Amino acid sequence: GIEYIDSYVFNKVEDIRFNSTVGRFVGYTEHGVKNAEAWNSDAGILGQEQAQLESFCKHNADISYSAILDKT
């Protein structure tokens, strides 16, 4: 399967991350934890992240797999 990870970094420190396997945001700093709580309660934001997995990741993976299979 495909896993989509969207990380938000501030001053070279990862603040918050969306992981499609978990299906929610996880905060790694005090600020990130607060944002994760807010973003996880917003179905629109979660939906946008899941849409990235479907529209961008899976679409490009299909193209990559096809290119690999064409060469074998």
Side-chain angles (χ1 to χ4, degrees):
I2 296 173
E3 182 175 59
Y4 169 67
I5 295 174
D6 191 6
S7 293
Y8 296 79
V9 177
F10 181 72
N11 284 342
K12 300 182 182 179
V13 175
E14 187 174 24
D15 199 36
I16 189 171
R17 175 190 298 177
F18 176 83
N19 181 318
S20 65
T21 302
V22 178
R24 59 193 294 272
F25 291 92
V26 177
Y28 296 100
T29 64
E30 184 179 352
H31 182 257
V33 169
K34 288 180 182 176
N35 277 335
E37 290 174 2
W39 296 355
N40 285 330
S41 66
D42 188 323
I45 293 175
L46 290 176
Q48 287 173 354
E49 292 289 347
Q50 290 291 353
Q52 288 292 326
L53 171 68
E54 296 297 326
S55 65
F56 181 78
C57 299
K58 290 186 177 178
H59 171 74
N60 286 301
D62 288 344
I63 292 170
S64 298
Y65 289 141
S66 294
I68 292 166
L69 293 175
D70 287 346
K71 294 179 180 176
T72 58

